[in-house]
């Protein structure tokens, strides 16, 4: 079962935050220092399975946690909309909750489906994490392609924060335009396949927060067991 392309799982794509270097004013500088010690803005990106960005939230300070940025995106009037019964793939910087599917914590993640011995998944949780890593890689590659194409996103900027946020958004729009209109994107070859590290219908029911629940955890367990059983049936 392909987590991100299978219609049976209702997966919309993947999301993750990334740091983009900025130059804030002196009094704001401390708030933009990331956990890696760089001065950057924390940008939330959401993409579909074709690596097209479908939502971007810029402007958050580098010191802000990914989960906090996501919560803000969900509560904005023009923010991220996730319909009930659908979800995005996320890493463990986010909470496993309705609409946001994360891997199992403390369980091996980067394995090989056709590897030998201990490199192959040994149980349902390991197999789920392996497939999750492969599917969630789409957002890592989307960010990688965008930064590879535009040097301004990976070098020090001397523009004001507001201007830099507009530049990030413009780069994402151009990224989508290129992917929609070019049959071959040469920058895609520069990004490794495996990375370790529309209008809203008012009557639709959307997820408005990030909160774990026993029902969502049980659903993930059921999905993991189903996927692992399919894997075992192939061997």
């Amino acid at each position: 079962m392909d987590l991100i392309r299978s219609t049976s799982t209702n997966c919309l794509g993947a999301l993750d935050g990334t740091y983009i270097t900025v130059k804030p004013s002196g009094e704001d500088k401390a708030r933009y220092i990331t956990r890696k010690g760089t001065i950057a803005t924390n940008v939330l990106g959401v993409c579909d399975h074709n690596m097209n960005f479908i939502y971007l939230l810029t402007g958050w300070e580098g010191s802000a946690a990914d989960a906090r940025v996501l919560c803000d995106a969900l509560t904005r009037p023009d923010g991220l909309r996730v319909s009930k019964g659908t979800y995005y793939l996320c890493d463990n910087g986010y909470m496993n909750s309705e609409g946001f599917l994360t891997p199992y914590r403390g369980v091996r993640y980067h394995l090989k489906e056709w590897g030998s011995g201990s490199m192959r998944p040994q149980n349902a949780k390991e197999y789920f994490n392996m497939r999750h890593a492969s599917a969630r890689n789409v957002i890592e590659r989307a960010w990688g392609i965008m930064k590879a194409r535009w040097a301004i996103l990976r070098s020090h900027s001397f523009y004001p924060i507001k201007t830099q946020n507009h530049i990030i958004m413009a780069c994402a729009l151009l990224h989508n335009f290129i992917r929609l209109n070019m049959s071959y994107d040469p920058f895609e070859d520069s990004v490794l396949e495996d990375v370790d590290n529309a209008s809203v219908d008012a009557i639709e029911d959307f997820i408005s927060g990030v909160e774990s629940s026993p029902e969502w955890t049980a659903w993930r367990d059921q999905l993991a067991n189903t996927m692992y059983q399919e894997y075992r049936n192939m061997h």
Side-chain angles (χ1 to χ4, degrees), residues 69-121:
V69 180
L70 175 59
C71 286
D72 180 41
L74 291 171
T75 56
R76 288 177 175 237
D78 57 348
L80 178 63
R81 296 291 178 263
V82 186
S83 301
K84 295 279 188 178
T86 63
Y87 64 88
Y88 287 100
L89 301 177
C90 320
D91 64 19
N92 275 324
Y94 303 90
M95 183 182 297
N96 185 58
S97 60
E98 184 182 10
F100 306 99
L101 189 64
T102 68
Y104 288 98
R105 292 181 182 273
V107 177
R108 294 191 302 165
Y109 196 67
H110 295 287
L111 299 169
K112 301 292 183 183
E113 185 168 0
W114 306 106
S116 59
S118 61
M119 286 305 298
R120 295 174 63 174

Side-chain angles (χ1 to χ4, degrees), residues 5 51 133-138 140-141 188-196:
R5 293 181 184 271
M51 289 188 283
S134 176
R136 196 190 68 83
N137 178 259
V138 68
E140 303 283 359
R141 295 178 65 211
E188 192 168 344
D189 294 336
S190 68
V191 179
L192 295 177
E193 183 72 27
D194 292 316
V195 181
D196 289 337

Side-chain angles (χ1 to χ4, degrees), residues 207-218:
I207 295 167
S208 59
V210 181
E211 185 176 352
S212 185
S213 68
E215 293 80 12
W216 186 256
T217 300

Side-chain angles (χ1 to χ4, degrees), residues 45-81:
V46 184
C47 74
D48 62 19
H49 65 275
N50 288 319
M51 289 188 283
N52 293 307
F53 285 99
I54 55 181
Y55 181 80
L56 218 68
L57 178 58
T58 64
W60 271 92
E61 302 91 337
S63 60
D66 288 344
R68 183 182 179 192
V69 180
L70 175 59
C71 286
D72 180 41
L74 291 171
T75 56
R76 288 177 175 237
D78 57 348
L80 178 63
R81 296 291 178 263

Side-chain angles (χ1 to χ4, degrees), residues 19-40:
Y19 293 134
I20 295 179
T21 304
V22 293
K23 187 178 181 181
S25 59
E27 61 269 21
D28 292 331
K29 188 174 181 179
R31 295 191 291 116
Y32 283 86
I33 298 177
T34 73
R35 64 178 185 276
K36 299 178 180 179
T38 58
I39 299 174

